[in-house]
Amino acid sequence: MNFDRVAGVYDRLAMCVFGKEWSKVQSVAATELNRVKKLLILGGGTGAILEELGHPEITYVEMSGRMIDQAKQRPTKSAVRFVNTDFLQWKSDQQFDAIYCPFFLDCFNEEMLLQVLQKISEQLKDNGILHVVDFQKGNWIQKTLVQMMLLFFKIASGLSANQLLDLRQKIVTSGYDEMKSKELQSGWVFYSHFCFSSIASKLQVK
């Protein structure tokens, strides 16, 4: 996968899909993320979330160099270390208080998704939280839009995903507990907190 070819139009495409709600979707996790010390952002794209963050020490892993170039122009109060690489190829012994995946996990087919989730669990501290903002299956119009986006990104960037998986279910069956969840865009988008089940408190999903 290589998203350099879509970096210049990514935000405009998102605005076409979400309209005025795009800024709300982008910032939904900001309050929670500002409470942590060490934060890993995976596939943050052009970095809009950085403008909302002021406290965490951030490692920003993004495989598109052009996306990173745009993210570096964002005003932010956080110290950000940009890493231009494929997350699955990234080698680090660091562990983080939180890992944030904004529309990142939907890029992968099922086999690769399981690899990504396993690696994420290795990068989380014992009490660390995985924050995920992504699509879930909505009405037929929303399903059609997602399928069109997947096809576009597959052609433009070599996306591995062919369909939208039930990401929340896949995350849970990969060993995580869903601690909290919020739905946006009439249920089309979710924002959830997950803890790896080996250290998770068995809390009821809200």
Side-chain angles (χ1 to χ4, degrees):
M1 292 185 288
N2 188 334
F3 290 89
D4 282 348
R5 292 168 63 183
V6 299
V9 298
Y10 180 82
D11 288 328
R12 279 175 285 175
L13 286 172
M15 281 293 295
C16 288
V17 173
F18 290 106
K20 295 179 181 179
E21 295 296 304
W22 179 227
S23 60
K24 183 186 296 186
V25 171
Q26 287 182 307
S27 61
V28 65
T31 300
E32 296 291 340
L33 298 180
N34 271 317
R35 293 173 179 165
V36 307
K37 184 177 180 181
K38 291 188 66 176
L39 170 65
L40 173 62
I41 297 178
L42 300 178
T46 61
I49 186 64
L50 297 177
E51 298 184 14
E52 307 290 333
L53 301 179
H55 180 69
E57 172 190 327
I58 300 170
T59 299
Y60 192 96
V61 176
E62 167 62 57
M63 69 185 303
S64 168
R66 291 186 63 188
M67 293 278 198
I68 284 180
D69 288 342
Q70 293 183 57
K72 286 180 176 178
Q73 305 306 311
R74 301 277 188 180
T76 184
K77 297 178 181 178
S78 291
V80 186
R81 174 178 170 248
F82 291 96
V83 182
N84 183 194
T85 192
D86 181 339
F87 174 59
L88 286 174
Q89 302 302 317
W90 183 48
K91 302 201 181 293
S92 173
D93 58 2
Q94 292 187 75
Q95 289 188 311
F96 299 86
D97 301 302
I99 296 177
Y100 177 50
C101 297
F103 299 98
F104 173 67
L105 299 180
D106 63 16
C107 295
F108 303 99
N109 61 34
E110 185 167 4
E111 180 181 358
M112 293 184 70
L113 176 62
L114 297 179
Q115 295 175 38
V116 168
L117 291 172
Q118 176 59 39
K119 182 159 186 171
I120 286 173
S121 72
E122 295 167 0
Q123 305 290 162
L124 279 171
K125 290 184 177 179
D126 283 350
N127 59 345
I129 301 295
L130 169 62
H131 297 254
V132 179
V133 176
D134 220 315
F135 293 109
Q136 57 188 4
K137 294 180 179 178
N139 60 41
W140 70 269
I141 296 175
Q142 293 165 337
K143 290 177 182 177
T144 301
L145 274 173
V146 169
Q147 203 59 41
M148 289 173 63
M149 284 188 286
L150 289 175
L151 179 60
F152 170 78
F153 283 108
K154 189 174 188 67
I155 294 170
S157 61
L159 196 74
S160 70
N162 293 310
Q163 61 180 328
L164 179 64
L165 300 172
D166 184 342
L167 293 174
R168 292 166 72 181
Q169 187 266 337
K170 294 297 180 186
I171 294 169
V172 170
T173 57
S174 294
Y176 293 80
D177 285 344
E178 188 174 32
M179 317 294 288
K180 186 177 180 181
S181 187
K182 178 179 182 179
E183 294 189 340
L184 308 166
Q185 293 291 104
S186 301
W188 189 27
V189 173
F190 72 93
Y191 168 44
S192 290
H193 301 185
F194 298 90
C195 209
F196 198 62
S197 59
S198 63
I199 45 85
S201 301
K202 305 296 184 181
L203 300 180
Q204 182 176 0
V205 177
K206 297 182 179 180

